Amino acid sequence: SAPVYISKSDVKAAVDELSHTTMSVAMQDANVPPRLIAAILSEMCDLQCEPRFGGTKASQPFHFNRCARQVGVEAPWIWNLVVRSIIAKCLPIWSSEGLGVQTEEARLTHMIWADNFYCVASSEEHLAR
């Protein structure tokens, strides 16, 4: 049997670091209707935050424009759309270069679990590419 090389990458603060542009492009790539995109993104813009520490609150609220919220119900869905959008751009290149590992059923190039990416290759050189 042939060797298999696997590389793991964990995307730190994956959802928190997505830009509104990245989310919008991913939703467009998935054919999400423009009105729904606008509605989702409007919930993530011009938010105000008023932190409290030990019962003491900040002197005034401040604007908080973070991307998808980790606790937001939309976050996993948007993250998955972003990942699919990125992978869709990579797959033709990986396929044309013969990257990945051939199984009985298909060529395996990657696996995804939440915000962990696993690249699969038949050699260290292919894994590096």
Side-chain angles (χ1 to χ4, degrees):
S1 76
V4 175
Y5 296 82
I6 300 173
S7 172
K8 176 189 174 202
S9 297
D10 184 4
V11 181
K12 183 180 176 187
V15 175
D16 287 340
E17 297 300 324
L18 291 176
S19 71
H20 294 148
T21 301
T22 300
M23 291 186 286
S24 178
V25 168
M27 288 188 275
Q28 290 172 35
D29 287 350
N31 297 315
V32 173
R35 285 183 139 180
L36 181 55
I37 294 172
I40 290 169
L41 292 179
S42 71
E43 291 295 317
M44 299 175 198
C45 296
D46 297 322
L47 301 175
Q48 287 202 352
C49 179
E50 189 175 289
R52 295 172 188 260
F53 301 99
T56 303
K57 66 179 184 174
S59 59
Q60 62 183 12
F62 60 91
H63 282 1
F64 185 72
N65 286 327
R66 286 292 278 211
C67 306
R69 297 167 300 227
Q70 288 278 1
V71 295
V73 295
E74 76 288 347
W77 175 72
I78 290 175
W79 174 249
N80 287 333
L81 290 181
V82 168
V83 169
R84 287 181 185 153
S85 178
I86 292 168
I87 295 297
K89 291 171 177 77
C90 296
L91 284 176
I93 297 166
W94 293 343
S95 178
S96 71
E97 294 184 10
L99 301 178
V101 174
Q102 186 64 46
T103 68
E104 291 180 16
E105 298 178 14
R107 179 166 291 281
L108 177 63
T109 56
H110 66 284
M111 297 175 286
I112 301 167
W113 177 256
D115 60 355
N116 296 301
F117 288 83
Y118 299 87
C119 291
V120 181
S122 58
S123 70
E124 286 185 53
E125 295 81 33
H126 280 192
L127 190 61
R129 288 171 57 200

